[in-house]
Amino acid sequence: MEHKTAMACIGLVALLGITAPQVHAESLQKTARCSGLLIGQAIGDLYFDDEAVFRDGVTLALLGYYGTLNADDYTEAEISNADRVLNEATDFVISAINENNYSIETFEETRRCYTTIAMSIYENRAVLAENKAEIDDAVEVSVNALLDTFGEDQ
């Protein structure tokens, strides 16, 4: 019986070792997708001349993303993939808005993402506080770049 228990423990440890990095990356990907959806939504708000809501939306999205990103040691490949996911989600919402194709499903997913991002900010509040100046600068650069790209003159 002890032999079976030992083998089961070894199997469980091996399984956890295989799935832990996948779960690790999935958390970053989920946050990246949600951040992208919120950024896309914020750009939609900018289309309707609400720059304050745009700034708040992008700031919230990026704080959630940067908090998750800086809370752990992700590989370059994981970060690159997360950046791609964020960009694709942003493009998805922008396209849906531009093509009058913004569905209730997109709205509901984006709405759920506010909770995901809020939890990311809460869970990673120490990391965000520790890196506040650097993260605030990165957020400001991103907000201004998005304004330059999608702002009134565009």
Side-chain angles (χ1 to χ4, degrees):
M1 187 67 158
E2 288 179 22
H3 178 68
K4 286 184 182 179
T5 303
M7 292 303 289
C9 286
I10 291 170
L12 181 60
V13 169
L15 178 64
L16 290 175
I18 291 169
T19 59
Q22 185 177 355
V23 170
H24 173 79
E26 284 176 8
S27 173
L28 178 61
Q29 298 245 341
K30 181 178 180 179
T31 303
R33 175 150 178 89
C34 282
S35 294
L37 291 174
L38 288 161
I39 291 168
Q41 183 69 45
I43 291 169
D45 292 326
L46 187 61
Y47 288 164
F48 295 106
D49 295 325
D50 200 336
E51 186 177 326
V53 173
F54 161 79
R55 285 182 173 279
D56 290 345
V58 172
T59 299
L60 182 72
L62 291 176
L63 287 175
Y65 184 60
Y66 292 149
T68 299
L69 196 61
N70 288 299
D72 217 330
D73 290 326
Y74 292 101
T75 66
E76 278 188 45
E78 289 171 328
I79 294 169
S80 178
N81 195 36
D83 286 345
R84 181 187 53 76
V85 167
L86 185 148
N87 290 329
E88 287 174 356
T90 301
D91 290 344
F92 172 77
V93 174
I94 293 169
S95 294
I97 291 169
N98 285 337
E99 297 166 8
N100 273 342
N101 214 8
Y102 192 90
S103 68
I104 189 69
E105 291 83 13
T106 302
F107 171 79
E108 286 297 325
E109 183 180 6
T110 303
R111 186 185 58 77
R112 285 189 302 274
C113 280
Y114 280 99
T115 302
T116 298
I117 295 303
M119 287 304 299
S120 173
I121 292 169
Y122 176 75
E123 290 169 355
N124 299 308
R125 63 192 177 280
V127 170
L128 291 168
E130 186 177 306
N131 299 293
K132 183 176 179 9
E134 181 181 323
I135 290 172
D136 285 351
D137 288 346
V139 167
E140 188 61 29
V141 166
S142 296
V143 166
N144 289 333
L146 289 167
L147 272 173
D148 289 345
T149 304
F150 297 102
E152 199 172 300
D153 299 334
Q154 302 307 318

